[in-house]
Amino acid sequence: MKRALCALLCALLPLLCGCSDGLDLSLMIISMGVDVTENGVVVTIKAPDYTGKSAAGQDDGGGQEYLTLSAAGVDWPHALAALNGSTPRALRFSQLREVVISLDSLQTVRLQDILSQVGQLQNIRSQAVLVLCRDDARTFLQQQQPQIGKRLSKYLDATLENYDQQGYIPSTTLAAVLRDLSGSWRAPLITYASLNVYDNLDAPQPGQPLDVEGGDLPRQGASTAEYVGGVAIGPNGDYTILTGYEVQLYHLIIGEPQSLFFAFGDRYYNAKWKKPHRLRIEEKDSRSVLTLELPVIIEYSIFSGEPEAGVTAFLEAEISGLMHKLQSVDCDALGFGSVAARRFATLYEWNAYGWHDRYREADIVVEVKAQMRQAGRL
């Protein structure tokens, strides 16, 4: 029995030793950043340094260090070639967790043009989260470190999943954004992030909870990277930034997650998703009328008495404001275009309809069907 066990261990020993060789021969990319200016493209990658001797000296406090490497070129192929030529290991993108693109890049080139080039990378992970940031992507990745735990990949997975479940950011993968940008009847919302350099508690914001953009939260913490809010982008490249609260309104409409904590008057309420929303399109006097019907349950505290008059109208106005903001950049994130497209049998008829022109000029109607309920009661 002992001889058989010894023989088995000897047979497995070469396989166990080969694991470190695999790590030494490749660089597993966790995050990638892209900055585009009039002068060219800068590509930045972040990967674990398994030797523990990172030249950047970035340590998350748990023993894992990370390399942050950048290369530039007049365009994407030149920048990528410079990155491959200056990195002494093969680049692997199968473990990619996020792609960070600076908003300033969109002043020079369309987002779909950047993503079409990124998507051609060999074995790239299509479920990586796309992030648009206020800062340079290179600076953002340099500052990014795990605030909890030892591994950046797990930290990003847990952090982005947590914020998505709470509704602070939209769920946007590379595959989903490329799908929406390549179609003509829906537009994407993309996760927004920024560095918070203030690190103080002296600027609490009035109004709705989390009605701020990433980078502006009044807080203190070890990490300066904040993922809060979203970017609504239209087919022509126009965009607007949504606050965390506005993204939560969007999530309430689609039912993921299914609640929204909001203030009205001097009290707080909790709006809960009840049934799927309904989108309608009508034509009146050569103009389109877009109607959103949303059934919700609005809970109020049993200790604060009856709800104030006008709370339903207030929620309708908040949702209407969000829809007008999306409309201002031709971002049909709710998918009214998919409803309009059902009327047409051919792509020729759909294109002749001129949906994007109609969407920009359409009237918006919001109908919230609210059921008032004391919190804690069925």
Side-chain angles (χ1 to χ4, degrees):
M1 184 64 181
K2 292 182 179 179
R3 289 182 179 179
L5 180 59
C6 183
L8 179 61
L9 291 175
C10 290
L12 292 175
L13 186 58
L15 298 177
L16 296 175
C17 295
C19 293
S20 61
D21 292 339
L23 295 176
D24 288 340
L25 294 176
S26 61
L27 200 61
M28 304 303 295
I29 312 303
I30 303 300
S31 301
M32 180 173 66
V34 180
D35 294 299
V36 183
T37 67
E38 295 180 354
N39 298 322
V41 178
V42 177
V43 180
T44 303
I45 57 174
K46 192 158 193 140
D49 178 15
Y50 295 106
T51 67
K53 300 177 181 179
S54 170
Q58 298 174 342
D59 192 337
D60 64 14
Q64 179 68 69
E65 295 182 346
Y66 292 89
L67 292 165
T68 304
L69 308 174
S70 299
V74 294
D75 54 19
W76 171 262
H78 283 82
L80 191 61
L83 184 63
N84 280 290
S86 60
T87 305
R89 296 292 183 272
L91 304 181
R92 306 298 184 195
F93 295 92
S94 60
Q95 299 300 314
L96 187 68
R97 290 310 195 266
E98 67 173 354
V99 176
V100 181
I101 301 174
S102 63
L103 277 174
D104 287 343
S105 299
L106 304 188
Q107 305 295 331
T108 305
V109 64
R110 297 189 312 164
L111 178 62
Q112 45 265 56
D113 294 333
I114 300 175
L115 295 183
S116 64
Q117 295 174 325
V118 171
Q120 294 176 12
L121 291 171
Q122 187 175 10
N123 296 324
I124 189 169
R125 184 170 175 265
S126 62
Q127 294 305 305
V129 174
L130 178 63
V131 178
L132 295 178
C133 71
R134 182 168 59 190
D135 316 274
D136 291 340
R138 178 171 176 265
T139 303
F140 186 85
L141 293 189
Q142 285 175 334
Q143 297 294 322
Q144 186 180 65
Q145 291 297 319
Q147 189 173 358
I148 300 174
K150 300 180 179 181
R151 296 172 56 187
L152 180 61
S153 58
K154 292 296 184 183
Y155 172 76
L156 288 175
D157 285 343
T159 299
L160 294 172
E161 181 181 1
N162 174 47
Y163 292 158
D164 179 30
Q165 290 178 350
Q166 296 189 65
Y168 304 155
I169 60 174
S171 177
T172 50
T173 63
L174 280 176
V177 174
L178 280 170
R179 177 200 64 206
D180 291 343
L181 288 175
S182 61
S184 59
W185 49 79
R186 194 180 185 94
L189 293 185
I190 301 171
T191 298
Y192 177 78
S194 183
L195 297 174
N196 189 332
V197 298
Y198 305 110
D199 197 35
N200 70 79
L201 306 175
D202 299 330
Q205 70 278 8
Q208 300 297 336
L210 270 187
D211 197 14
V212 295
E213 304 168 2
D216 296 331
L217 289 176
R219 57 86 177 170
Q220 289 182 335
S223 175
T224 59
E226 291 180 356
Y227 299 86
V228 177
V231 179
I233 187 166
N236 295 324
D238 296 331
Y239 67 85
T240 185
I241 299 174
L242 306 182
T243 67
Y245 170 71
E246 290 172 326
V247 175
Q248 285 183 302
L249 278 173
Y250 167 78
H251 277 294
L252 176 66
I253 296 171
I254 65 174
E256 300 173 359
Q258 299 184 354
S259 64
L260 169 72
F261 191 68
F262 68 97
F264 175 65
D266 58 354
R267 293 162 59 180
Y268 288 93
Y269 298 85
N270 190 19
K272 293 188 174 182
W273 185 87
K274 184 178 180 181
K275 294 180 181 179
H277 66 278
R278 182 185 176 192
L279 304 179
R280 302 196 308 268
I281 301 178
E282 301 172 301
E283 306 296 335
K284 292 184 178 180
D285 300 327
S286 71
R287 289 173 64 91
S288 297
V289 179
L290 312 180
T291 300
L292 167 67
E293 183 179 312
L294 180 65
V296 297
I297 298 172
I298 299 181
E299 291 187 340
Y300 57 95
S301 173
I302 193 174
F303 301 107
S304 58
E306 292 300 313
E308 298 171 272
V311 63
T312 301
F314 172 79
L315 189 56
E316 288 178 339
E318 295 287 272
I319 295 175
S320 177
L322 170 64
M323 292 175 61
H324 278 94
K325 193 170 184 178
L326 297 174
Q327 186 186 41
S328 68
V329 293
D330 196 14
C331 178
D332 182 18
L334 293 176
F336 278 98
S338 62
V339 177
R342 299 170 193 165
R343 305 176 181 179
F344 306 98
T346 66
L347 187 60
Y348 175 80
E349 293 175 321
W350 166 249
N351 291 331
Y353 179 63
W355 164 245
H356 289 292
D357 292 335
R358 290 177 177 271
Y359 176 74
R360 283 191 295 267
E361 302 297 328
D363 296 325
I364 291 176
V365 178
V366 178
E367 299 175 357
V368 173
K369 308 296 184 180
Q371 173 189 343
M372 307 303 296
R373 187 174 72 185
Q374 287 183 337
R377 293 195 175 184
L378 299 177

